Amino acid sequence: MSQRTMAVVGTGVIGNGWIARFLANGHRVFAYDPAPEAEANTRRMLDDSWSTLVQYGIHKDASKDNLTFVQNLEDAVAHADLIQENVPERETLKKQVLASIDHHAKPDAIIASSTSGYMPSVLQEACVKNPERIIVAHPFNPVYLIPLVEIAGGKQTAIATINEAKQIYDELNMKPLVMSGEIDGHIGDRLMEALWREALHIVNDGVATTEEVDKAIVYGPGLRWALMGPFLTLHLAGGNEGMKHMLEQFGPALKLPWTRLIAPELTEDLKKKVIDGTSAQCGEISIADMEHRRDRFLIKLMGLLEEEGFWPSERVLAYERNIDAVDR
């Protein structure tokens, strides 16, 4: 894998996660964010997470010194091979920023939006120079560890762009999922939103606390989902006949009015229940300590998935060795 030049536009939680992953894989990164404290926040985040990245496995050329903050968007994107946009989820703002990136980027650069909701066809509407290289590449937090990136092309996106993007993200030790089409919210977020709405209803109705909802996932379906996801989990629930028996046996229950997928009104009372509940769950443990605990767990879990043969691309525990072999 040769060293590439990456650009990150917008350095919030997601943007900083991309910066960390790009750097850990030995690439140069140019970052732009107009916020006064942006660079300081990014470098603080890198200092705090670098030991985790080393444990996860970094490229032999990985260095925090490969990061350069610039004062304007044009300087950030002018020489980049991949440009990752991460500005706030406002359609007008994203379109304006992507149009500016399209104007200043070199013609063969891939322009990827991290948007969690908008379809690429919408985002590329204002891009008049090379709209065929605009895609959605939606990651999951923490971006420097979670491997999934959902890739979707719009009506004007070239197939060659999708293929090249898939290769780049695969080389970043990610699991690129190329969507068959485009849809608001993509795949992962739509599934999480459905669960999130149900969780809010349960807490709002006084059925359970935030801690009890979390326990219901962590000690139950979450354990199975980590390995197989919802469809294979239910396939196994059907016994020897698999999903066929599952649908015959439990299909009628789908019509029962158990779920309440319409989001509840976010009243002050509901907000207080959720805020107080999650604060009580953390107790005296800081957010930073909770993040470190989460990262340690994710590394162990991904190693276990590899050990069990459910890690179909590059191997996490042998990542550094694989990269060296590719370089040779």
Side-chain angles (χ1 to χ4, degrees), residues 14-306:
I14 298 301
N16 281 339
W18 279 119
I19 289 173
R21 184 174 281 275
F22 292 156
L23 293 175
N25 282 271
H27 300 297
R28 296 181 297 269
V29 180
F30 288 87
Y32 169 70
D33 191 310
E37 301 298 320
E39 181 173 2
N41 290 338
T42 296
R43 296 197 182 278
R44 188 181 306 114
M45 175 268 182
L46 288 172
D47 289 340
D48 194 45
S49 62
W50 199 254
S51 61
T52 297
L53 292 168
V54 171
Q55 180 185 357
Y56 181 52
I58 62 175
H59 191 276
K60 58 184 177 60
D61 295 327
S63 172
K64 290 181 284 184
D65 293 335
N66 285 334
L67 171 63
T68 302
F69 258 81
V70 295
Q71 297 302 310
N72 58 72
L73 184 144
E74 180 178 357
D75 289 342
V77 306
H79 304 291
D81 302 307
L82 173 68
I83 301 158
Q84 198 77 39
E85 170 272 311
N86 317 278
V87 303
E89 291 287 301
R90 298 197 296 273
E91 182 179 332
T92 300
L93 175 62
K94 280 192 175 289
K95 283 184 173 180
Q96 290 174 346
V97 171
L98 287 167
S100 181
I101 292 173
D102 179 47
H103 177 72
H104 292 295
K106 61 183 185 178
D108 60 343
I110 293 176
I111 302 173
S113 174
S114 297
T115 180
S116 58
Y118 297 115
M119 293 189 293
S121 288
V122 173
L123 297 179
Q124 66 189 182
E125 287 174 348
C127 299
V128 297
K129 184 181 176 183
N130 295 109
E132 71 278 358
R133 40 73 174 280
I134 308 291
I135 64 169
V136 161
H138 172 238
F140 292 79
N141 186 50
V143 182
Y144 54 83
L145 285 182
I146 298 291
L148 179 62
V149 55
E150 296 175 326
I151 298 176
K155 294 176 182 177
Q156 301 180 73
T157 306
I159 295 298
T161 299
I162 295 289
N163 292 337
E164 185 179 355
K166 183 179 184 298
Q167 178 181 342
I168 290 174
Y169 290 113
D170 190 67
E171 290 174 355
L172 289 166
N173 198 33
M174 302 189 79
K175 304 301 166 211
L177 172 61
V178 177
M179 296 174 56
S180 300
E182 53 179 330
I183 186 173
D184 289 322
H186 321 313
I187 301 173
D189 273 7
R190 288 177 72 104
L191 296 172
M192 289 192 297
E193 283 291 334
L195 181 59
W196 172 234
R197 292 188 188 104
E198 290 296 312
L200 287 176
H201 276 298
I202 288 171
V203 171
N204 192 47
D205 294 344
V207 177
T209 65
T210 59
E211 182 176 13
E212 289 165 346
V213 170
D214 283 350
K215 285 181 176 179
I217 296 298
V218 170
Y219 302 130
L223 291 172
R224 300 178 302 189
W225 288 341
L227 181 67
M228 296 184 178
F231 278 111
L232 276 183
T233 293
L234 293 177
H235 181 58
L236 268 61
N240 289 334
E241 293 185 64
M243 185 61 76
K244 179 178 182 297
H245 177 71
M246 175 67 194
L247 293 177
E248 292 171 351
Q249 181 78 4
F250 298 101
L254 293 173
K255 293 186 178 295
L256 295 178
W258 290 353
T259 58
R260 299 175 61 181
L261 290 178
I262 298 175
E265 183 181 352
L266 201 57
T267 63
E268 292 301 317
D269 181 59
L270 176 54
K271 286 194 285 187
K272 187 176 188 304
K273 286 181 180 178
V274 173
I275 293 170
D276 290 350
T278 49
S279 295
Q281 285 178 256
C282 291
E284 299 299 318
I285 305 174
S286 69
I287 293 294
D289 286 340
M290 291 289 287
E291 289 174 338
H292 288 153
R293 180 186 184 189
R294 174 201 65 194
D295 291 354
R296 289 195 302 270
F297 173 80
L298 288 173
I299 290 174
K300 292 178 182 178
L301 180 58
M302 288 187 286
L304 180 60
L305 286 171
E306 177 196 3

